[in-house]
Amino acid sequence: MSQAAAQSKKVSFRAKESTACPICDENHQKEQMFQGGGRLIAGKLAQDLRRLYEKNRKFGRVSPLDYVMTVCPRCLYSSFPKDWNALNPADNEAIRMATDARRSYIEKILGPLDFTQDRQIVLGAASYLLGMDCYQLRGVSVAPTPKKAVCAIRAAWYFSDLHDEFPNLGYDKIRDLLYQKAAVIYGYTLELMQNGNEPVDQAAGMLGPDTDNNWGFDGVIYLNAFLTKKFKDQMAPKPEDQVLLLSRAKRTLARLYGSGKASKGKPGPIVEMTRELYDEYNAILEAMGGEK
């Protein structure tokens, strides 16, 4: 079989150059996805800005998200490629010291993992959980908060899919917990956009939250409002606190809605979804006796 014919049957390939782990010095060949060839069949855009993909008859399940995070197969250090080597000595030491805890934590959730194997749904889920864990130990210079938010919502998507495949293993509980974590971290990210305590511009190119459209900071505003509405009961158990929480999110959403109406440069889908979400906020707050 020719090399071209062999490639036409594969989803991914291994990079020729080795990637060295800055934590433990392990070398590995990073797996990357082939482009084109009818591998991706794009479906609809979900309310949480996830691009859904249809199962491919030839290739089966294909997801670009599987290949985004760089993960060391030895110590399980995980990061976005841009940040892989951007470690100061304190970050490096903290991540190195947490290696055993990191492995124990991920194996309790997903079982033993081997990142020398080809990426699939379980390794994809693990890559983002590990990313959240490692960014928790990173300094402010790499803007860890928005990156943790992206990792959290992508991990929630994976556990939603895992629950669909294995409905009796409790993955729905992990999915909901991750969505709630994403809701909280997107709220923090919104604050950072205003107070400048982290250089959030460093995360602009990877805010996604998916890989087909990078909605950038507009996506942060929208997702903060979407997740706040979805998990208001968990974030604020008292009705009066829910009204305050929703009112604050609605005011931020209103600015995005207003800028979308005023600018032809805003992408149509997010403007329309923002309008629908804004109307939902009005209805919820009115029913709760809050602002209209």
Side-chain angles (χ1 to χ4, degrees):
M1 184 184 293
S2 70
Q3 185 176 1
Q7 288 183 0
S8 71
K9 296 180 179 295
K10 295 181 66 177
V11 174
S12 65
F13 64 98
R14 299 284 173 170
K16 291 181 181 178
E17 303 80 14
S18 291
T19 296
C21 176
I23 306 298
C24 70
D25 299 323
E26 178 80 0
N27 285 295
H28 72 281
Q29 270 66 44
K30 183 172 167 58
E31 187 182 5
Q32 297 173 301
M33 183 177 163
F34 279 117
Q35 301 300 311
R39 291 173 176 83
L40 284 179
I41 305 173
K44 67 177 183 177
L45 182 67
Q47 265 196 306
D48 56 5
L49 302 183
R50 180 188 186 185
R51 175 63 66 190
L52 301 175
Y53 293 97
E54 298 176 16
K55 200 164 186 178
N56 191 311
R57 287 185 181 180
K58 181 177 180 181
F59 298 99
R61 173 195 168 275
V62 182
S63 173
L65 290 178
D66 289 355
Y67 311 98
V68 172
M69 303 298 285
T70 305
V71 182
C72 173
R74 182 181 178 191
C75 73
L76 301 182
Y77 164 53
S78 176
S79 85
F80 288 98
K82 176 183 178 182
D83 300 327
W84 181 251
N85 288 309
L87 289 154
N88 62 43
D91 293 357
N92 192 307
E93 178 66 7
I95 293 170
R96 187 183 67 80
M97 292 296 291
T99 297
D100 290 342
R102 187 162 56 250
R103 184 176 295 280
S104 175
Y105 149 75
I106 199 69
E107 289 187 352
K108 283 179 182 176
I109 299 171
L110 291 167
L113 301 170
D114 183 359
F115 271 94
T116 64
Q117 296 182 348
D118 288 351
R119 297 278 175 104
Q120 25 70 352
I121 188 170
V122 173
L123 292 179
S127 73
Y128 290 103
L129 287 181
L130 291 166
M132 286 177 65
D133 191 67
C134 290
Y135 276 107
Q136 190 69 33
L137 302 172
R138 303 291 296 263
V140 296
S141 63
V142 297
T145 301
K147 293 166 187 174
K148 283 190 295 182
V150 173
C151 286
I153 198 165
R154 290 182 179 179
W157 296 343
Y158 271 94
F159 278 92
S160 178
D161 292 348
L162 282 168
H163 176 64
D164 289 343
E165 286 201 31
F166 309 102
N168 299 316
L169 295 182
Y171 289 135
D172 54 332
K173 295 180 178 63
I174 302 173
R175 172 200 65 200
D176 291 348
L177 179 62
L178 286 163
Y179 268 125
Q180 290 170 47
K181 283 183 177 291
V184 172
I185 303 171
Y186 270 105
Y188 291 154
T189 300
L190 206 56
E191 293 176 12
L192 292 171
M193 287 166 56
Q194 296 163 347
N195 63 33
N197 288 343
E198 283 184 22
V200 290
D201 284 349
Q202 288 225 5
M206 57 188 79
L207 281 174
D210 213 328
T211 55
D212 70 326
N213 281 305
N214 181 15
W215 304 106
F217 295 113
D218 289 345
V220 172
I221 294 169
Y222 171 86
L223 281 170
N224 174 67
F226 174 80
L227 294 169
T228 297
K229 178 182 75 72
K230 186 176 177 69
F231 293 104
K232 67 182 189 305
D233 294 340
Q234 291 81 4
M235 296 173 72
K238 294 181 180 178
E240 59 270 27
D241 292 336
Q242 288 183 15
V243 169
L244 290 173
L245 188 71
L246 292 169
S247 297
R248 187 163 61 243
K250 180 196 163 187
R251 286 194 291 273
T252 308
L253 189 66
R255 290 198 287 274
L256 175 58
Y257 180 37
S259 68
K261 289 196 299 182
S263 171
K264 293 182 180 180
K266 293 282 185 188
I270 200 167
V271 172
E272 180 60 24
M273 293 170 78
T274 298
R275 183 192 64 78
E276 292 173 0
L277 185 58
Y278 186 78
D279 291 343
E280 290 176 26
Y281 260 80
N282 280 334
I284 292 169
L285 283 166
E286 185 174 359
M288 295 179 72
E291 63 177 90
K292 296 183 180 180

